[in-house]
Amino acid sequence: MFRKAPGGATALAASEPLVAPPREFDFSDDDFRALIKLAYEHAGIALSESKRNLVYSRLSRRLRTLKMGSFREYREFLLSEASEIENFINSISTNHTKFFREDHHFDHFRARVAVPFSQSVGSAGRASLRVWSAGCSSGEEPYTISVVLKRELRSFINRDVKILATDIDTDVLNRASRGEFAPNTIDDVPKPYLSFFKHATIDGKEKVVIDDDLRSIIAFRRLNLMDPWPFRGLFDAIFCRNVMIYFDGPTKANLIERFANQIKPGGWLYIGHSESLTGTHPQLRAVGRTIYRRSE
């Protein structure tokens, strides 16, 4: 039954059941199960039944790009073209971040890492500083870390300071490396740090740009956290925030163990506001909201 809605539009009566529009591509249970299995095997991403529509909508874009007619055809393509796995992971990855997100972490990082380092540069054992932003997305997190360090150190010249920024998604890494952002992305940046962000017009559009000095200490690299890590040195601090929410318990526990072994004694691990360690860890002690310290 139909009725007239305000303004003359025709609407379904309240008792009329809504019928979902037909999908552009066939998407069977087998398609869904096979794709989430690949996501788990290649990236540790655990997708539940509730993510079925997300998987469909994200990957439909790839099917259109590749001019494919079905998810079955796409699954066969994934098996025959190893290079497509990267595009597959890029498509289903969720990237949401902002400057100074969960700002209490950066208050702590400034007080317990940046300030002590600035006061002890040149002293024994504090000649270098290494920070890892794991799951850096479009770069707001590592740039925030760089800004906090710049405020305390004033200059990076003759300072052995490095930030490793990694992500599995090559698309967001490319955006991050450019250091160009929309003006409203700094709306929530604390006032003491606003002067470090510069405004410029690029291709006729207003942008916030990260200057070369802040970018000089950051290395952007693709890294799948499930793979062997290619570095041997330890970090003073690791940020891995709002990444582990996509992993199941065993995957998360294994990752925490690897992080603990990659942090210097007395160093710090920062995780997301909705995350926690699975039980306790012999090397990590909670010292604040989602902040952990490795035993010395």
Side-chain angles (χ1 to χ4, degrees):
M1 179 183 296
F2 292 89
R3 60 179 174 80
K4 286 289 184 179
T10 301
L12 283 171
S15 59
E16 187 75 12
L18 295 176
V19 178
R23 281 179 163 162
E24 180 181 358
F25 305 102
D26 287 336
F27 188 51
S28 69
D29 288 344
D30 286 346
D31 292 330
F32 179 65
R33 285 193 291 267
L35 291 168
I36 64 173
K37 183 172 183 286
L38 280 176
Y40 185 79
E41 290 174 348
H42 288 277
I45 298 173
L47 296 167
S48 64
E49 176 65 31
S50 66
K51 301 299 183 183
R52 180 184 289 260
N53 287 336
L54 179 145
V55 171
Y56 175 86
S57 63
R58 296 275 181 86
L59 292 177
S60 291
R61 301 167 195 166
R62 282 302 296 160
L63 268 66
R64 295 185 196 105
T65 297
L66 296 167
K67 296 180 170 52
M68 292 183 174
S70 69
F71 273 86
R72 183 181 183 86
E73 183 181 359
Y74 182 64
R75 285 166 51 196
E76 292 171 352
F77 183 66
L78 278 168
L79 294 176
S80 63
E81 295 290 338
S83 61
E84 178 60 21
I85 289 294
E86 183 174 307
N87 293 319
F88 166 67
I89 297 299
N90 287 355
S91 296
I92 62 171
S93 299
T94 299
N95 297 289
H96 173 70
T97 186
K98 68 175 186 176
F99 293 111
F100 285 88
R101 185 183 188 186
E102 299 177 50
D103 56 358
H104 68 284
H105 284 161
F106 299 104
D107 291 340
H108 180 276
F109 178 78
R110 174 182 174 271
R112 302 304 301 268
V113 181
V115 169
F117 180 74
S118 70
Q119 295 172 344
S120 60
V121 168
S123 64
R126 292 309 304 258
S128 66
L129 182 68
R130 297 290 183 267
V131 183
W132 180 13
S133 171
C136 68
S137 187
S138 47
E140 286 88 339
E141 180 176 273
Y143 287 129
T144 300
I145 297 168
S146 183
V147 165
V148 172
L149 290 170
K150 179 67 177 290
R151 184 184 177 205
E152 300 307 319
L153 297 176
R154 307 300 178 187
S155 172
F156 296 133
I157 297 174
N158 298 324
R159 304 291 177 91
D160 188 6
V161 179
K162 298 294 181 186
I163 300 169
L164 174 65
T166 67
D167 202 279
I168 195 172
D169 188 333
T170 52
D171 293 336
V172 294
L173 283 173
N174 288 335
R175 296 207 307 270
S177 64
R178 291 197 294 270
E180 301 171 6
F181 300 90
N184 64 357
T185 57
I186 62 170
D187 287 350
D188 296 327
V189 171
K191 287 184 178 179
Y193 297 100
L194 280 173
S195 62
F196 293 98
F197 296 87
K198 310 301 180 184
H199 292 263
T201 301
I202 300 174
D203 296 329
K205 296 181 180 179
E206 291 298 314
K207 297 281 188 179
V208 168
V209 297
I210 309 299
D211 68 33
D212 290 343
D213 192 35
L214 290 169
R215 295 168 63 185
S216 67
I217 65 169
I218 305 175
F220 288 100
R221 299 286 185 270
R222 183 185 186 274
L223 180 66
N224 184 338
L225 291 174
M226 300 300 104
D227 290 344
W229 297 345
F231 35 81
R232 296 181 181 178
L234 302 182
F235 294 92
D236 297 273
I238 295 176
F239 288 75
C240 185
R241 306 183 307 159
N242 306 302
V243 173
M244 292 184 289
I245 55 175
Y246 303 106
F247 301 151
D248 60 12
T251 302
K252 184 170 73 170
N254 180 61
L255 189 59
I256 290 292
E257 177 69 20
R258 296 174 74 190
F259 280 143
N261 291 329
Q262 207 66 54
I263 299 171
K264 293 179 181 178
W268 309 92
L269 173 65
Y270 301 90
I271 65 176
H273 70 280
S274 60
E275 299 168 325
S276 61
L277 301 193
T278 303
T280 59
H281 191 282
Q283 291 179 288
L284 297 172
R285 175 172 58 90
V287 293
R289 278 191 298 152
T290 55
I291 303 171
Y292 296 85
R293 190 175 195 187
R294 180 179 167 174
S295 56
E296 299 194 49

